[in-house]
């Protein structure tokens, strides 16, 4: 049985005080939610304050990116041991916005995934096709490329500590959600790719989140799909109430 996992990706939003207010409200709204893993991913600058607010709660902390070296002359970067030190359990890696605007590639995703895992940080590895890929019938090829490239050379145990997030780029921030059937089709493809690369036993345990315009209104239907194990939520995670409703859609 896979425990559902709902993560809020706050992207480039919230000052420290706004992040603390949102976290405090959210923490209060989900105290009774058991049997679901709940995660928030603030900006680097708010991680410390949010980590303090989350102490003793059932909400876990994630960063939105990580660098693969532990320390050294890499101006502007933040490493896995630093994120662990600040209280992160998870880190989002390879989000389409990082691929699109910041030159993230399958190779850099793979290096970051390995660095995270070696410091006991669980990676949320994002994959997903652009609209033109889907229209040209290339969805499967792109997903296979992201999965085999981003997840290369992980042990069974490392893969089991990872989460995959399927986020069709055309559904991110656009209000256009993939239909539950479209999401299920790609989630089951991802599980098949992992079965081929690892084993049925490993693939059946890994959690695959859907992301792209998830809202309280569409969450339950998406979560009801057999291979959809949770959600990576952008816009709707910036309001405690809507994020809490999405969390509760898994219960
Ligand atoms: P969205 O973003 O929910 O605003 O579409 C999802 C994401 O990019 O993780």
């Amino acid at each position: 049985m896979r425990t559902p996992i709902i993560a809020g990706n706050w992207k480039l939003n919230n000052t420290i005080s706004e992040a603390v207010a949102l976290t405090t409200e959210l923490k209060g709204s989900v105290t009774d939610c058991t049997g679901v893993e709940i995660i928030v991913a603030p900006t680097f600058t708010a991680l410390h304050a949010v980590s303090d607010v989350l102490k003793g709660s059932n909400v876990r902390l994630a960063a939105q990116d990580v660098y693969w070296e532990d320390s050294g002359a890499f101006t502007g970067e933040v490493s896995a041991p630093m994120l662990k030190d600040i209280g992160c359990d998870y880190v989002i890696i390879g989000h389409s916005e990082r691929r699109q605007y910041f030159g993230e590639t399958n190779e850099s995703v793979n290096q970051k995934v390995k660095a995270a895992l070696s410091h006991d940080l669980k990676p949320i590895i994002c994959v997903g096709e652009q609209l033109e890929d889907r229209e040209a019938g290339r969805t499967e090829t792109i997903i296979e490329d992201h999965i085999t490239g981003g997840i290369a050379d992980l042990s069974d145990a490392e893969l089991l500590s990872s989460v995959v997030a399927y986020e069709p780029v055309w559904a991110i921030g656009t209000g256009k959600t993939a239909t539950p059937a479209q999401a299920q089709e790609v989630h089951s493809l991802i599980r098949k790719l992992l079965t081929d690369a690892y084993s049925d036993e490993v693939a059946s345990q890994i959690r695959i989140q859907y992301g792209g315009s998830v809202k309280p209104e569409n969450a339950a239907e998406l979560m009801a799909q057999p291979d959809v194990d949770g959600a990576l939520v952008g816009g709707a995670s910036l309001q405690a109430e809507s994020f809490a409703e999405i969390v509760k859609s898994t219960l």
Side-chain angles (χ1 to χ4, degrees), residues 4-60:
I5 179 164
I6 306 290
N9 174 11
W10 294 358
K11 307 192 180 183
L12 184 55
N13 292 291
N14 292 328
T15 59
I16 294 175
S17 60
E18 287 163 348
V20 164
L22 174 56
T23 308
T24 308
E25 191 184 344
L26 174 68
K27 186 174 86 161
S29 333
V30 297
T31 34
D32 296 337
C33 298
T34 50
V36 52
E37 228 177 316
I38 310 164
I39 300 166
V40 290
T43 56
F44 287 130
T45 52
L47 284 173
H48 193 269
V50 170
S51 176
D52 279 349
V53 177
L54 291 179
K55 281 206 178 90
S57 81
N58 59 344
V59 181
R60 305 269 78 84

Side-chain angles (χ1 to χ4, degrees), residues 9 11 95 97 167 171-173 212-214 232-235:
N9 174 11
K11 307 192 180 183
H95 190 280
E97 287 149 16
E167 300 204 302
I172 296 180
S213 299
V214 176
L232 182 54
V233 186

Side-chain angles (χ1 to χ4, degrees), residues 11 69 82 105 115 118 158 170 207 231:
K11 307 192 180 183
E69 295 287 350
M82 292 169 183
T105 61
S118 72
E158 286 176 326
W170 47 272
R207 290 171 301 172

